[in-house]
Amino acid sequence: TQLLKQSPQFLSIQEGENLTVYCNSSSVFSSLQWYRQEPGEGPVLLVTVVTGGEVKKLKRLTFQFGDARKDSSLHITAAQPGDTGLYLCAGENQAGTALIFGKGTTLSVSS
Amino acid sequence: ETGVTQTPRHLVMGMTNKKSLKCEQHLGHNAMYWYKQSAKKPLELMFVYNFKEQTENNSVPSRFSPECPNSSHLFLHLHTLQPEDSALYLCASSQLSVGTGELFFGEGSRLTVL
């Protein structure tokens, strides 16, 4: 069974701090996606990483795909209250028909 | 309207009721999905439709019955639900049913079963 394990489950920090959240699996994924979900809304795609070792940057967010394509990380520099939300990683299921998701990391950034 | 629209946003029903959730996408996509989001659990894939044809049923109980009359509309018919079915039901669409494609989600229908 494919599983995506995300850690930490909850993270509460002050504005301006840096943080890293992780997405790990024992399975190899052809790609991984990161979504952010804000309260009362559906998840929204942040980035897709495809190549092992790939690093992508989206303003203050840095995403990395592990060399073996089994894990990924999201680093946020100088977090802001607007970064608050549920961060989900997702990968293709074995049938190749849909995405499976991790449980997510709930991030709270206070000013 | 743009994106993916879900109605109703909130629904409270008894275990003997019959209700339906509706999803409409205005993106011209060909694949539509139902996901269930419960507390402390990952998003659970329920159903996948490609070009109106169901391509995946992820062992969902028969009290959940999907319907996809065309590529733009997706329904989830609910009957004889259990309290543990209370959750946020998310509809999503994508250009094609492929893993690297971006999923566009609606805002969800929050279901409470009494």
Side-chain angles (χ1 to χ4, degrees):
Chain A
T1 303
Q2 290 178 299
L3 285 175
L4 287 166
K5 296 183 179 180
Q6 291 191 245
S7 61
Q9 189 175 353
F10 299 99
L11 192 55
S12 182
I13 62 171
Q14 294 289 317
E15 183 176 3
E17 292 184 34
N18 301 331
L19 66 115
T20 302
V21 299
Y22 300 92
C23 175
N24 295 287
S25 176
S26 58
S27 304
V28 175
F29 286 89
S30 57
S31 65
L32 283 178
Q33 299 183 3
W34 285 91
Y35 289 77
R36 180 169 67 206
Q37 184 177 18
E38 299 184 18
E41 298 183 9
V44 176
L45 180 68
L46 295 174
V47 77
T48 301
V49 286
V50 180
T51 306
E54 181 178 7
V55 176
K56 280 192 173 179
K57 292 191 175 182
L58 185 67
K59 297 183 180 178
R60 294 175 294 99
L61 278 60
T62 302
F63 303 85
Q64 186 162 7
F65 200 12
D67 291 340
R69 292 184 288 127
K70 293 183 178 181
D71 55 84
S72 182
S73 64
L74 160 59
H75 181 79
I76 301 179
T77 304
Q80 298 178 1
D83 296 325
T84 294
L86 175 66
Y87 288 82
L88 298 161
C89 68
E92 183 179 338
N93 65 358
Q94 288 184 335
T97 55
L99 293 180
I100 58 170
F101 287 80
K103 290 184 181 181
T105 294
T106 299
L107 173 64
S108 175
V109 183
S110 53
S111 56
Chain B
E1 293 193 46
T2 59
V4 180
T5 304
Q6 289 188 243
T7 55
R9 294 292 311 277
H10 300 273
L11 179 62
V12 179
M13 59 187 290
M15 290 192 286
T16 58
N17 291 157
K18 289 185 180 181
K19 297 286 184 182
S20 295
L21 306 181
K22 178 183 176 182
C23 176
E24 184 174 2
Q25 59 98 357
H26 307 271
L27 300 168
H29 289 164
N30 297 306
M32 296 188 76
Y33 312 77
W34 280 115
Y35 282 88
K36 175 184 178 182
Q37 188 172 36
S38 307
K40 301 182 181 179
K41 288 187 176 181
L43 272 164
E44 298 173 65
L45 177 67
M46 299 177 73
F47 302 103
V48 181
Y49 277 82
N50 253 311
F51 295 95
K52 304 185 302 179
E53 299 298 320
Q54 186 180 123
T55 55
E56 186 147 346
N57 176 337
N58 202 26
S59 302
V60 180
S62 59
R63 57 186 184 269
F64 295 91
S65 175
E67 178 189 0
C68 189
N70 54 61
S71 293
S72 299
H73 293 85
L74 185 64
F75 295 89
L76 188 62
H77 303 300
L78 316 169
H79 62 96
T80 325
L81 294 190
Q82 305 298 312
E84 59 264 30
D85 296 323
S86 298
L88 181 68
Y89 288 86
L90 288 163
C91 173
S93 71
S94 65
Q95 182 60 38
L96 292 172
S97 179
V98 290
T100 54
E102 177 180 358
L103 287 183
F104 290 81
F105 285 89
E107 294 176 318
S109 293
R110 172 72 62 186
L111 172 66
T112 302
V113 182
L114 302 176

